[in-house]
């Protein structure tokens, strides 16, 4: 799915990769996550296939309560099963506890990493540079000395943070830190429990990794 989206993003004035991207998404089968249907609907809306996109928006709206808040808003506006307000109100919201761990770098606001700030934040960390020329993406993967934390910097902004250690909570406590139902996905390495812009990887009923990604 991500490969199809990346393919579409490489379109420019001289090459149209929309048909290939849509075809790749449409040929996927099996138990696909809601993100697959959401991204396919967004692509179908770009061209005169809005009727097909509407089918996907309505399918997503049937489980709007389980969608992350930013995606639920888009789905509820575009679906045609019920008034958008009723669709949005179908998702119960609760006050969530603050996460019981700290990210390597503050997640409050976006700020560019100047050379001085980068040096201060990642003193003694290993910096692995990357330059994906075709995609025009460049940056660093910063790894802590104990290898228990990593931060991906792209275009001078922090995009991803990972904590790899036994987390101070149980799998039963995870829902209390999210204001909406968690999204769960099976992975080869365990089960991923996602909430808005953070997620926790669970193995054998034990949270072992925490991920944060910028919006």
């Amino acid at each position: 799915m991500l490969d199809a989206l990346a393919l579409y993003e490489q379109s420019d004035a001289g090459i149209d990769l929309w048909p290939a991207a849509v075809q790749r998404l449409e040929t996927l089968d099996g138990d696909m996550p809601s993100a697959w249907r959401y991204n396919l609907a967004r692509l179908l809306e770009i061209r005169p296939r809005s009727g097909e996109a509407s089918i996907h928006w309505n399918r997503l709206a049937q489980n709007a309560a389980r969608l992350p808040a930013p995606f639920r808003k888009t789905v509820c506006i575009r679906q045609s099963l019920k008034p958008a307000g009723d669709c949005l109100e179908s998702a119960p919201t609760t006050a969530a506890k603050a996460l019981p761990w700290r990210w390597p770098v503050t997640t409050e606001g976006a700020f560019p990493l100047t050379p001085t700030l980068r040096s201060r934040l990642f003193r003694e960390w290993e910096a692995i540079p990357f330059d994906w020329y075709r995609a025009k993406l460049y940056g660093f993967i910063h790894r802590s000395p104990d290898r228990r934390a990593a931060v991906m910097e792209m275009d001078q902004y922090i995009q991803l943070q990972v904590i790899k250690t036994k987390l101070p909570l149980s799998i039963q406590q995870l829902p209390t830190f999210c204001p909406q139902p968690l999204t769960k996905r099976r992975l080869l390495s365990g089960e991923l429990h996602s909430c808005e812009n953070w997620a926790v990887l669970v193995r054998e009923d034990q949270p072992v990794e925490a991920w944060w990604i910028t919006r």
Side-chain angles (χ1 to χ4, degrees):
M1 180 180 69
L2 293 176
D3 181 58
L5 297 175
L7 178 67
Y8 170 72
E9 291 296 333
Q10 295 179 54
S11 297
D12 57 32
I15 183 170
D16 181 10
L17 296 173
W18 179 90
V22 169
Q23 183 180 27
R24 288 194 185 187
L25 287 177
E26 291 182 328
T27 55
L28 296 175
D29 55 15
D31 185 20
M32 298 301 296
S34 57
W36 165 81
R37 192 176 300 279
Y38 179 89
N39 285 304
L40 179 55
R42 291 296 296 265
L43 284 180
L44 290 173
E45 277 196 340
I46 295 174
R47 302 293 170 86
R49 293 178 62 179
S50 58
E52 295 174 58
S54 179
I55 294 174
H56 292 293
W57 292 130
N58 288 343
R59 287 283 298 275
L60 287 166
Q62 292 174 356
N63 294 295
R66 299 193 59 82
L67 296 174
F71 301 107
R72 183 169 63 248
K73 181 178 180 180
T74 300
V75 168
C76 288
I77 291 174
R78 285 171 166 77
Q79 56 84 39
S80 59
L81 296 178
K82 62 181 78 172
D86 294 346
C87 176
L88 289 168
E89 291 176 1
S90 66
T93 57
T94 57
K97 296 180 181 179
L99 292 172
W101 64 81
R102 294 181 60 185
W103 299 106
V105 181
T106 179
T107 59
E108 298 296 326
F111 48 88
L113 291 178
T114 63
T116 300
L117 181 58
R118 184 184 297 111
S119 176
R120 179 169 63 84
L121 289 175
F122 302 114
R123 184 179 294 113
E124 299 183 0
W125 285 44
E126 179 184 8
I128 305 171
F130 63 86
D131 187 351
W132 299 330
Y133 176 76
R134 287 180 175 270
K136 298 180 181 179
L137 300 174
Y138 65 93
F140 297 89
I141 295 176
H142 304 277
R143 294 197 304 187
S144 64
D146 61 7
R147 297 295 191 271
R148 292 184 178 180
V151 175
M152 185 177 74
E153 170 196 347
M154 189 181 298
D155 298 336
Q156 293 188 293
Y157 283 87
I158 292 174
Q159 304 289 344
L160 175 70
Q161 302 192 55
V162 181
I163 300 173
K164 298 182 178 183
T165 185
K166 183 178 180 180
L167 300 175
L169 77 167
S170 67
I171 186 174
Q172 292 79 15
Q173 293 174 307
L174 276 176
T176 65
F177 300 98
C178 186
Q180 62 208 31
L182 290 165
T183 300
K184 301 178 183 179
R185 299 183 180 89
R186 291 296 306 173
L187 304 177
L188 291 176
S189 57
E191 187 173 54
L192 194 66
H193 297 237
S194 304
C195 176
E196 297 182 346
N197 61 345
W198 63 265
V200 168
L201 181 65
V202 176
R203 294 195 190 106
E204 298 179 354
D205 293 332
Q206 175 60 53
V208 295
E209 290 186 19
W211 305 345
W212 175 89
I213 185 168
T214 185
R215 292 183 180 177

